[in-house]
Amino acid sequence: MNALITLLTVGLLTLSTEGYAAPPPIEEAPADVDGYIRCIQDFYATNRWQAGTIAGCRANNPAVRSLRDGDYVSVTFSRAQSRIYEQSRKQWIDFDKALRTQLLSRKLNELFQAANPLTAYSFKRVASDLDARFSELNEEPFSWYPATKVPYTTVSGSSLASLHSAELAQFTRCLETAISQLSASRISRSAFDSNVDTCSSEISARNGDASKALYQPQVFRSVAEQTWAPIASQRVRTQDAVVIPLAKKESESSWYVTLLKLICIMIMGVGGLFTFWNLVNRVPATISKKGGRRSRRKRNEHEDSQPRGRNQEGKKLDLGTFMLKHRKISSMTTNHLCASCMHWTGKRTPHPVNREPYVKLDAVGECVKKRAGSPYGMKSYKDGFQCKDFSDIGY
């Protein structure tokens, strides 16, 4: 039974030793600390520093890792071992403190300026890359040691904020210049966006990675939208200035056309009534004419049996005089051969016999209301005899 217990105890101790490697003897600490320092200096000098460089140098020098993890129990050391422990620990801590101070106060900014970022986008990218590569300086035990990090600046001394502000100012000036060369009231959104891309490219062309990216692109989009807003407003006002008068003109034109239609209908109605009245008036004249022919026939029969008198000759003379001074309304009466007109607006004189309308040869008037087929119906108004539409004389 005792033998079984002893065997189990040895097995557990073996498992424990395999799971947790024992720290190297304290006597190896000075050599491992020197090896750790040389490892760090080599990566620093050759600019091969990457995330995990410090952890790798510790792993290659186990005594330093044990010093960091607190694996050594100094109370078990002899006086000589304690002296080795204290000296090695102090050398390691002093080196780490100096390393953190040197990297944060000088090396990082030197590496940043060596990358020579020219744009805010490149500035942020190089800064983020360096912070990631040297992130171990912010872990324990380095985070315990005081040190001041020098802010990243370009060779010209620009910070990220100042570089970003300068790029926004350049972008704004570029847009304003491009728009001033175009008509703000007519520039389209596609043309504006093309100018935005051009102005953005003038900045991103200086990116270190040859990308077209911008630092905080949403800010550039905001500037572009603020620039476009007054242009869009001006376009709306310009369109209203054109569309509203056109709509008003169309509305007025529609009213004018409607009014003309109503006038034409009224004129047609009046013309129809006048034509009807004229036809009605001609009926008695026709009847009178027929009656006059019968009377003249009887009178002629009677006069044939009697000698012609002076009264008859006088009547013929009066009718002849009328025909010499008057002329029936026709193409011979009016200028421009206005024979297709229906109405004469000048003074009328009825024929002594048939009562048809005649005008004096020197009468002044107008021949109005064209009939279909009249080639002179649309002539412009001039004084004298002309064919015209009723609408042209304001009826």
Side-chain angles (χ1 to χ4, degrees):
M1 186 67 178
N2 292 333
L4 179 60
I5 293 174
T6 301
L7 182 61
L8 290 174
T9 301
V10 172
L12 290 173
L13 290 174
T14 302
L15 290 174
S16 176
T17 301
E18 292 177 354
Y20 302 95
I26 190 62
E27 289 78 8
E28 297 180 4
D32 282 359
V33 170
D34 290 339
Y36 167 75
I37 293 173
R38 286 193 301 273
C39 178
I40 294 293
Q41 290 174 339
D42 181 57
F43 277 95
Y44 181 93
T46 57
N47 197 24
R48 293 183 294 115
W49 200 287
Q50 298 293 332
T53 293
I54 296 176
C57 288
R58 286 198 196 108
N60 292 331
N61 298 276
V64 176
R65 184 178 59 189
S66 296
L67 287 172
R68 175 185 180 277
D69 295 339
D71 292 338
Y72 292 112
V73 182
S74 59
V75 296
T76 63
F77 293 154
S78 64
R79 182 175 297 177
Q81 289 176 327
S82 294
R83 188 164 48 252
I84 294 172
Y85 172 77
E86 292 296 336
Q87 291 176 349
S88 298
R89 186 172 182 276
K90 183 177 184 303
Q91 182 183 9
W92 162 65
I93 291 176
D94 289 344
F95 176 78
D96 279 2
K97 285 182 179 180
L99 177 65
R100 173 177 165 84
T101 300
Q102 185 176 6
L103 289 175
L104 294 181
S105 65
R106 191 181 70 180
K107 185 62 176 179
L108 288 180
N109 201 47
E110 288 178 355
L111 293 173
F112 180 83
Q113 291 187 353
N116 193 28
L118 300 177
T119 64
Y121 168 79
S122 296
F123 189 113
K124 181 63 176 177
R125 182 164 183 172
V126 172
S128 299
D129 179 64
L130 288 175
D131 289 342
R133 287 170 60 190
F134 292 89
S135 60
E136 290 176 297
L137 298 177
N138 297 318
E139 298 175 357
E140 297 179 355
F142 285 99
S143 59
W144 301 339
Y145 310 143
T148 301
K149 180 181 177 181
V150 175
Y152 293 124
T153 57
T154 63
V155 176
S156 61
S158 299
S159 65
L160 177 60
S162 62
L163 194 57
H164 181 50
S165 298
E167 290 176 352
L168 286 176
Q170 175 187 346
F171 178 76
T172 303
R173 288 193 302 271
C174 179
L175 278 183
E176 291 175 350
T177 302
I179 293 169
S180 65
Q181 297 173 355
L182 300 172
S183 175
S185 61
R186 295 183 179 179
I187 183 174
S188 64
R189 181 62 197 233
S190 60
F192 177 81
D193 290 340
S194 177
N195 287 322
V196 170
D197 293 339
T198 300
C199 293
S200 300
S201 298
E202 291 181 2
I203 298 172
S204 61
R206 302 192 301 270
N207 285 341
D209 59 354
S211 68
K212 295 183 178 180
L214 294 172
Y215 175 67
Q216 293 187 352
Q218 68 278 7
V219 180
F220 286 87
R221 286 194 296 269
S222 177
V223 171
E225 291 303 323
Q226 291 174 7
T227 306
W228 171 253
I231 298 175
S233 178
Q234 178 64 29
R235 283 169 55 85
V236 171
R237 288 195 297 270
T238 302
Q239 290 175 355
D240 289 344
V242 174
V243 172
I244 292 177
L246 286 177
K248 184 178 180 181
K249 186 175 181 181
E250 290 179 358
S251 177
E252 292 175 351
S253 176
S254 64
W255 278 104
Y256 178 72
V257 172
T258 303
L259 182 61
L260 285 181
K261 289 181 179 178
L262 291 175
I263 291 174
C264 290
I265 292 173
M266 292 174 62
I267 291 172
M268 292 175 63
V270 172
L273 290 175
F274 186 79
T275 302
F276 178 74
W277 175 80
N278 195 17
L279 292 174
V280 171
N281 285 341
R282 286 183 179 181
V283 171
T286 303
I287 296 173
S288 174
K289 202 173 189 181
K290 291 180 179 179
R293 289 197 188 101
R294 292 194 193 97
S295 298
R296 283 196 301 274
R297 188 165 54 249
K298 291 179 180 180
R299 192 163 53 249
N300 291 336
E301 290 174 355
H302 175 72
E303 289 175 352
D304 287 341
S305 61
Q306 297 179 1
R308 297 181 183 274
R310 290 186 177 271
N311 290 339
Q312 186 176 4
E313 292 177 358
K315 290 183 179 178
K316 288 183 180 180
L317 182 61
D318 291 341
L319 181 60
T321 302
F322 177 86
M323 294 304 294
L324 287 175
K325 293 183 178 182
H326 296 79
R327 185 168 294 172
K328 188 177 181 180
I329 299 175
S330 68
S331 61
M332 298 300 293
T333 306
T334 61
N335 287 348
H336 305 297
L337 302 180
C338 192
S340 62
C341 291
M342 294 175 61
H343 296 282
W344 170 259
T345 63
K347 184 177 180 180
R348 304 182 184 195
T349 302
H351 191 275
V353 178
N354 56 26
R355 312 303 294 173
E356 290 185 354
Y358 278 66
V359 296
K360 289 185 178 182
L361 295 182
D362 58 351
V364 178
E366 293 176 351
C367 187
V368 296
K369 189 174 182 182
K370 69 169 184 175
R371 185 178 293 173
S374 172
Y376 302 102
M378 299 304 292
K379 281 184 174 291
S380 62
Y381 175 79
K382 292 180 182 177
D383 292 334
F385 307 115
Q386 291 190 34
C387 283
K388 290 171 52 70
D389 289 328
F390 277 117
S391 58
D392 291 336
I393 60 176
Y395 287 163

